[in-house]
Amino acid sequence: QVTPVESGGGSVQSGDSLRLSCVIRGYMSSGATYCAGWFRQAGLGREAVAVIKNDGTTTYADSVKGRFTISRDNAEDTLFLQMTSLQPHDTGVYYCAADRKRCVGSGLTTLQALEIMADAWGQGTQVTVSS
């Protein structure tokens, strides 16, 4: 069982940027199909943030579109989330998740599907944004 390892969280001010990283050993460098993404949790609710297919196609939640960018380095089995123009409502624990099957659905349903189907979840990294 692979446990992704996130890093890069921290405490920042409104308008600042952060780059999160997540190493998911064996999911990307093997060349096999995968679906990977980022989620965040503040309080009781978990929100899907962004997903990337192994062909590079990306989908974002409306709340982060234009501010966050998901990317990957297949050779290093690493998923990234570049976050800009951070606001207090972006505060939360950010998790990466991955599945060894292709992403399903289209648009926002791709995010929802990954949350259900992911077979690997990281431990999370805290992001705190102060006004």
Side-chain angles (χ1 to χ4, degrees), residues 70-82:
I70 187 171
S71 61
R72 78 282 170 84
D73 183 334
N74 285 333
E76 297 296 327
D77 280 322
T78 303
L79 187 69
F80 301 101
L81 186 68
Q82 178 69 48

Side-chain angles (χ1 to χ4, degrees), residues 53-64:
K53 301 179 180 180
N54 61 312
D55 68 358
T57 305
T58 58
T59 301
Y60 297 91
D62 290 342
S63 59
V64 306

Side-chain angles (χ1 to χ4, degrees), residues 17-38:
S17 300
L18 278 176
R19 188 192 197 205
L20 305 183
S21 299
C22 176
V23 178
I24 318 174
R25 287 292 174 216
Y27 271 67
M28 302 174 185
S29 61
S30 66
T33 299
Y34 68 85
C35 184
W38 290 93

Side-chain angles (χ1 to χ4, degrees), residues 107-129:
L108 295 179
T109 62
T110 306
L111 295 164
Q112 298 163 352
L114 178 60
E115 185 171 13
I116 295 170
M117 297 174 63
D119 55 22
W121 285 88
Q123 299 296 311
T125 184
Q126 177 71 45
V127 172
T128 302
V129 185

